[in-house]
Amino acid sequence: GFFQSYAVEVDVKDASNATCLYAKWMMRFLIKYETNSSDYKNTTLNLSSSVTHNGSVCGNDTQAALLAVQFGGGHSWSINFTKTNETYQGDFITFTYNTNDTAVFPDAKRKGPITIVVKDTMRPVQLNNVFVCHNTDSIEAENVTQIFWNVTVQAFVQNGTIGQKESRCRADTPTSAPTVLPTTANVTTASTTTLSPAPTTAPKPVENPDTGNYSLKSGNKTCLLATLGLQLNVSQDKPLLININPKTTSADGACGNTTATLKLNDGNSTLIGF
């Protein structure tokens, strides 16, 4: 199924009404939960169109900055930032999902809020620089995969002015095309996507999609292989066909003991998760 996730923009002000913490990003959560029949279901939790940021804190030389958002039926997410004399970086991410939200967690055995805390993998960023990451990044812990993309953030903003210099994430660094592999893998699909608006002019006929070869590694061993041609047929105001171009599409993800995630990003706001 296709799920729309909303972008979040938070502009935290200090006592003088100057910006001290700014962030704009997109995220979604893939969660495995136990049902009353003792089996497990996978669900996707997306941000709603209404997000609050109560509890966000500017931070200073002795206190961490905190970016906190609340959304949906009792869900919340936050990250705190610490700094040195020259850099700042994310410290811990805290995510709370509420299984009382029956629209997302039907027939959940455990009721109420569940909180997980994970270490952020963000590298130190020079003060006055903006951290930017357009490609997808994910963190997995305790049956939850947190997926982030189109991230722009600056903590400890000085003089209320967002920096002009960017620090880019590793995933945004240009890499070679995916390795061509001879093996085809059977992949169970549970797709998520975020799409640009349909063009106002009549689109040209779309040919069959080119076949791409994608792989994931766990350590030095390949753990997932996929060969596929992919076309999205999206119903918006007008039907929209989009071919995923393997030459410009990056692949990442992770392999676990019982699950694997393959994420394709075409660099043009289209994210597909398998």
Side-chain angles (χ1 to χ4, degrees):
F2 292 88
F3 302 92
Q4 181 68 39
S5 186
Y6 292 88
V8 187
E9 185 172 18
V10 177
D11 189 349
V12 183
K13 306 285 188 179
D14 61 17
S16 61
N17 202 37
T19 296
C20 62
L21 175 59
Y22 175 82
K24 185 176 182 179
W25 75 103
M26 300 186 77
M27 64 181 175
R28 69 162 46 91
F29 307 92
L30 308 180
I31 304 170
K32 179 187 290 186
Y33 69 97
E34 187 177 7
T35 67
N36 283 315
S37 56
S38 296
D39 61 353
Y40 284 84
K41 288 185 177 180
N42 295 310
T43 189
T44 301
L45 175 59
N46 294 282
L47 294 182
S48 61
S49 57
S50 178
V51 178
T52 59
H53 56 89
N54 300 323
S56 295
V57 176
C58 290
N60 52 43
D61 290 340
T62 59
Q63 181 184 16
L66 179 66
L67 177 64
V69 294
Q70 304 83 38
F71 59 97
H75 316 296
S76 63
W77 181 91
S78 67
I79 179 173
N80 68 316
F81 298 91
T82 56
K83 75 169 184 171
T84 66
N85 291 333
E86 299 179 351
T87 65
Y88 69 90
Q89 68 182 96
D91 192 6
F92 287 97
I93 292 174
T94 303
F95 171 50
T96 298
Y97 59 97
N98 189 351
T99 56
N100 286 326
D101 185 351
T102 56
V104 181
F105 302 98
D107 196 35
K109 182 175 183 178
R110 180 178 176 182
K111 298 294 186 181
I114 300 173
T115 298
I116 64 171
V117 179
V118 294
K119 180 71 176 176
D120 184 34
T121 57
M122 175 181 175
R123 293 184 295 177
V125 179
Q126 290 292 318
L127 291 174
N128 293 324
N129 284 14
V130 181
F131 175 76
V132 176
C133 193
H134 294 307
N135 278 282
T136 59
D137 192 12
S138 64
I139 299 175
E140 296 186 42
E142 301 181 36
N143 291 330
V144 176
T145 301
Q146 306 181 48
I147 304 174
F148 312 92
W149 70 101
N150 289 347
V151 175
T152 300
V153 62
Q154 183 177 353
F156 305 101
V157 177
Q158 299 182 9
N159 301 319
T161 303
I162 303 298
Q164 298 298 313
K165 188 175 180 181
E166 294 182 352
S167 293
R168 302 299 288 265
C169 63
R170 292 187 183 94
D172 282 2
T173 304
T175 57
S176 58
T179 303
V180 176
L181 299 166
T183 306
T184 301
N186 295 323
V187 180
T188 301
T189 61
S191 303
T192 58
T193 184
T194 316
L195 296 171
S196 302
T200 55
T201 58
K204 296 180 181 179
V206 178
E207 302 296 332
N208 289 334
D210 292 334
T211 299
N213 299 278
Y214 310 97
S215 66
L216 298 178
K217 287 186 176 295
S218 179
N220 61 357
K221 294 183 178 181
T222 299
C223 60
L224 188 151
L225 303 173
T227 300
L228 70 158
L230 185 58
Q231 182 181 90
L232 307 181
N233 186 340
V234 184
S235 298
Q236 298 188 129
D237 295 333
K238 297 180 179 179
L240 176 64
L241 290 178
I242 298 175
N243 279 348
I244 300 302
N245 183 355
K247 294 181 180 179
T248 59
T249 298
S250 62
D252 63 4
C255 296
N257 292 331
T258 58
T259 61
T261 301
L262 173 66
K263 292 171 291 184
L264 303 181
N265 190 325
D266 74 343
N268 191 29
S269 300
T270 304
L271 168 68
I272 307 99
F274 297 89

